[in-house]
Amino acid sequence: VSLSREEVLLLETLEALVPSAAASYRQGLTDLVGPERLSYRGTAAEFRESLRETLDHLAPDDDVKEQRWYKPDEGQINPTMKQKARYILTSRQRNKTQRVAAEKMFGLIEELSGEVMRAVYNRASLATHVHQSRNEVQQIKRYVDTMLFDLLEITP
């Protein structure tokens, strides 16, 4: 797989910090450029998992739960991706505007990941499904890249 400079930076940082997240990210990249797939559900999950594992490493559940602002979302026992991002960015003294933008981005990632998963079951035309799912996963990757650069404080 031919990688961009930014993808190499992300992979090197992830491999040093969270090797399993690096493996998921690399698998997602391989899936996107490989031969046409019948489903991109696994690819979307790989990118989402690379981000989730990075968040888990940088924001352990117990640390997030100790924050004054923490309140579990309805139906959740542990912090969400958004809450973990807030913890990380707050600990780095990012201002509220920066934190809100990041939290909204995590909402988009979670929503798009769910759409790809649902698309496997809901789309009637395989040709439309495959093309649309690939586009959706590429968008997820762009969001994940943006958030990983921010969370890992990587400067391209």
Side-chain angles (χ1 to χ4, degrees):
V1 176
S2 178
L3 303 175
S4 71
R5 185 172 151 263
E6 290 80 11
E7 290 165 341
V8 169
L9 282 170
L10 280 174
L11 277 169
E12 287 174 350
T13 304
L14 287 173
E15 284 169 352
L17 192 64
V18 190
S20 59
S24 286
Y25 186 84
R26 186 179 298 278
Q27 183 63 58
L29 291 173
T30 302
D31 290 353
L32 275 179
V33 299
E36 191 161 324
R37 300 178 58 85
L38 297 177
S39 169
Y40 286 90
R41 177 176 33 181
T43 309
E46 293 290 0
F47 286 121
R48 186 179 187 283
E49 281 303 294
S50 69
L51 184 59
R52 186 197 57 75
E53 288 185 24
T54 302
L55 286 169
D56 287 349
H57 178 78
L58 297 173
D61 288 347
D62 291 340
D63 292 353
V64 177
K65 289 176 181 179
E66 290 175 5
Q67 302 306 301
R68 284 182 293 137
W69 51 262
Y70 174 73
K71 179 181 174 187
D73 278 3
E74 187 176 326
Q76 298 290 321
I77 342 174
N78 290 317
T80 64
M81 289 173 73
K82 285 183 193 182
Q83 290 166 328
K84 287 179 173 258
R86 182 177 185 188
Y87 169 82
I88 295 164
L89 298 173
T90 300
S91 69
R92 292 184 181 156
Q93 285 144 24
R94 298 280 178 90
N95 67 42
K96 185 178 179 181
T97 303
Q98 291 169 319
R99 289 192 319 264
V100 168
E103 289 170 17
K104 288 184 186 231
M105 186 77 75
F106 277 101
L108 286 171
I109 292 167
E110 289 175 334
E111 185 178 322
L112 280 172
S113 296
E115 285 180 18
V116 170
M117 311 282 175
R118 285 187 299 275
V120 170
Y121 302 106
N122 297 336
R123 298 226 173 123
S125 167
L126 182 59
T128 301
H129 163 71
V130 170
H131 178 72
Q132 186 64 32
S133 291
R134 185 171 195 275
N135 290 341
E136 289 169 347
V137 172
Q138 287 173 324
Q139 185 62 48
I140 290 168
K141 181 200 174 290
R142 285 190 286 275
Y143 289 142
V144 167
D145 286 355
T146 300
M147 294 315 306
L148 286 173
F149 269 98
D150 196 21
L151 293 172
L152 298 171
E153 297 182 313
I154 300 172
T155 306

